[in-house]
Amino acid sequence: MNTQKDGKTPNLSAEEQQDVDQNQPPRAAVLHEIIRTQGDQELERSVAALWWSALAAGLTMGLSLMAMGLLNSRLPDSEAFKVIASFGYCAGFLAVILARQQLFTENTLTAVLPVMTKPTLGNFGRLLRLWTVVLFGNLCGTLLVAYVMLHLPIFDTKTDAAFLEIGRKVMENSTSQMFAKGIISGWMIATMVWMIPSMESAKMWIIILITYLMALGDFTHIVVGSAEVSYLVFAGELPWKDFWLVFAGPTLAGNIIGGSFIFALLSHAQIRSESGPPTTSADQKTDPQQVKK
């Protein structure tokens, strides 16, 4: 039997070998560079462009609260149907990411990679500028949409009660739970951002998978959660102090740590640890022991 020392399948034509090369998944370094480039582009955007995009994203994220409330109010009250209602959580993320609007937790990965690649004071300043503008825009949007959903005659009484119940569920967490669950949430969003460039055709399903798991696990997210919890504040059930100190502060810290200091740092370290360029087919055909000096 004719076998090859390098373990390759024998008797492949040039066309077949080309098909093999073209169907290889991108290396982690390629994904890193795609996301780093996207992050660099985001860091270059003007404050006005970031602000309007972030405000739009905050308003759009209200779709998650709206979808979950509508599903909860129309499905029977049982744990089995809560699993179905959790799909509503995906609505806001799908709309924001597919529309390419500025979402804070998405930027905890994309905008951080350029800073890790080139950790200068200028890059740190650009990162803080982007984070500040995007976070402020997101929160303004979610607070506005929660206020409108509560005070305008849009939904029936049963749906309004479902919105309140969603907020109460979030506030059942202690401060430490908000923080710990926020870490997982930030890490999951960063995972989603890392996966999308390699599977662009399945982008919608990746978003649904990750965000649905976030909903099932009741993991805290600073943007979606701000719509859920501020609904309670505007309804008079929760003071602003608890919104900021019990929910927003710990959740924000957890999201940043999970998305930036854990996922982004480990992903960046992985790429920087790789030595040398990828081996090409031409390189593999040459046996170093047969090279004559």
Side-chain angles (χ1 to χ4, degrees):
M1 182 182 238
N2 185 20
T3 59
Q4 294 191 3
K5 291 181 181 179
D6 57 11
K8 289 186 178 181
T9 304
N11 304 322
L12 287 180
S13 66
E15 262 184 45
E16 290 169 333
Q17 185 59 49
Q18 186 177 5
D19 289 339
V20 172
D21 294 336
Q22 289 176 347
N23 283 281
Q24 293 300 311
R27 291 196 308 141
V30 175
L31 299 178
H32 181 280
E33 182 59 18
I34 291 172
I35 298 170
R36 188 203 64 78
T37 302
Q38 291 173 347
D40 208 40
Q41 292 171 351
E42 296 300 331
L43 290 171
E44 289 296 325
R45 296 183 69 180
S46 67
V47 170
L50 291 172
W51 158 255
W52 289 114
S53 182
L55 179 64
L59 294 170
T60 305
M61 288 303 291
L63 287 173
S64 290
L65 175 60
M66 187 185 303
M68 285 191 296
L70 289 170
L71 288 171
N72 276 311
S73 65
R74 283 154 178 77
L75 290 171
D77 189 14
S78 71
E79 286 300 318
F81 287 102
K82 296 292 183 186
V83 173
I84 299 174
S86 294
F87 273 110
Y89 193 83
C90 309
F93 286 96
L94 276 169
V96 166
I97 296 172
L98 294 180
R100 301 187 66 82
Q101 295 171 345
Q102 290 287 338
L103 181 64
F104 177 77
T105 47
E106 195 178 0
N107 283 327
T108 55
L109 175 64
T110 54
V112 166
L113 290 187
V115 178
M116 289 185 174
T117 304
K118 193 176 180 182
T120 63
L121 286 176
N123 276 342
F124 276 110
R126 292 197 303 162
L127 177 63
L128 291 176
R129 179 187 71 111
L130 181 141
W131 275 6
T132 301
V133 174
V134 171
L135 179 61
F136 185 62
N138 284 170
L139 292 180
C140 286
T142 52
L143 295 181
L144 178 59
V145 78
Y147 183 87
V148 168
M149 287 170 63
L150 176 67
H151 288 94
L152 291 188
I154 303 172
F155 303 102
D156 56 35
T157 305
K158 194 173 181 181
T159 306
D160 288 336
F163 293 147
L164 289 170
E165 190 56 39
I166 291 170
R168 293 180 191 126
K169 178 72 174 174
V170 176
M171 292 307 296
E172 287 177 2
N173 294 300
S174 65
T175 303
S176 59
Q177 287 175 316
M178 295 284 192
F179 175 70
K181 290 184 177 183
I183 293 176
I184 302 301
S185 179
W187 172 74
M188 291 176 75
I189 292 294
T191 303
M192 178 186 71
V193 173
W194 187 268
M195 290 170 64
I196 286 174
S198 64
M199 291 291 290
E200 191 69 33
S201 60
K203 185 175 187 176
M204 184 178 73
W205 300 111
I206 293 172
I207 298 169
I208 291 173
L209 171 65
I210 297 297
T211 56
Y212 178 60
L213 291 175
M214 286 170 58
L216 285 181
D218 292 324
F219 300 122
T220 52
H221 186 274
I222 184 59
V223 182
V224 183
S226 65
E228 299 167 341
V229 178
S230 65
Y231 195 92
L232 288 179
V233 176
F234 292 130
E237 289 196 14
L238 189 75
W240 279 111
K241 182 184 72 172
D242 287 352
F243 175 88
W244 295 111
L245 298 181
V246 178
F247 163 71
T251 299
L252 175 61
N255 287 168
I256 292 175
I257 289 173
S260 298
F261 299 132
I262 294 180
F263 191 95
L265 183 60
L266 291 176
S267 301
H268 181 75
Q270 170 197 348
I271 301 308
R272 292 307 171 207
S273 297
E274 291 184 354
S275 57
T279 306
T280 63
S281 298
D283 295 332
Q284 292 172 346
K285 289 178 182 177
T286 303
D287 186 351
Q289 293 181 354
Q290 295 177 355
V291 177
K292 294 182 180 179
K293 296 183 181 179

